[in-house]
Amino acid sequence: MLSWKRALRPLTAALLAVAIGLAPAATAHAAAPSSGWNNWACKPSSAHPRPVVLVHGTFGNSVDNWLALAPYLVKRGYCVFSLDYGQLPGVPFFHGLGPIAKSAGQLDAYVDRVLAATGAGEVDLVGHSQGGMMPRHYLKFLGGADKVNALIGLAPDNHGTTLHGLTGLLKYFPGAADLLDSATPALADQIAGSAFLAKLNEGGDTVPGVRYTVIATKYDEVVTPWRSAFLDGPNVNNVTLQNLCAIDLSEHLAIGLFDRIAYHEVANALDPAKAKPTTCASVFE
């Protein structure tokens, strides 16, 4: 007879396969892409005085998640940086898997490094999936609100995900939740109802002094239900991508990887004083 752990491996593998939609497949890793981001000599301009820190999603890394958005923002005059976080021993390229609270500590240290290098007083954060949710721990518990002007999330799992009910099956397999938690803590933290999310959202979704923008898609197949991405609180702008362009069919992966309509709305959130209406035509801008 198979042991429970051996029997549970297919379920764990299924969860990992579905959750891989939280980030792109890995490609060759590079510390300083030639397209101009992660340039530690960059000094913010008066037009864009805050550097932008990009926070990848689960299974992503500092390059793969941002091959389109980083150059998009650099071209618009921003100093852009991206970090790796949530690494597991012996797992290259695929990051964002470690305990999310620990990952928030890595973000804390990285923001300090960016501020020291650029001389700026604050940064703006743009994150995809877990990368749009994890910074909220940094803001709420690690003093990040004093260093961050805005948090912009692309399909963030702010209130967790049910993976279309798949996570509900864990209770029928004794030991499955413990196995998932020990192998990939970040996945366990992102399940709707997790202890991590209960603590994160207790007492309100937001903290004073930070502007929040959430850009979600109705076709999100990873963050389910898709409206769980939205935040409640002051200084929050919840945006549904299809309200900007009804024919935009981007799902969870696409909204972060290459959707220029979503990117246009990111640019608006970074510089609201110069915001232009986001429409289907924004793909050409």
Side-chain angles (χ1 to χ4, degrees), residues 170-190:
L170 291 170
K171 62 185 178 183
Y172 297 108
F173 295 86
D178 291 339
L179 180 61
L180 187 67
D181 184 53
S182 62
T184 51
L187 294 185
D189 284 346
Q190 292 175 84

Side-chain angles (χ1 to χ4, degrees), residues 44-56:
S45 65
S46 58
H48 301 300
R50 292 178 300 275
V52 177
V53 175
L54 304 177
V55 190
H56 65 73

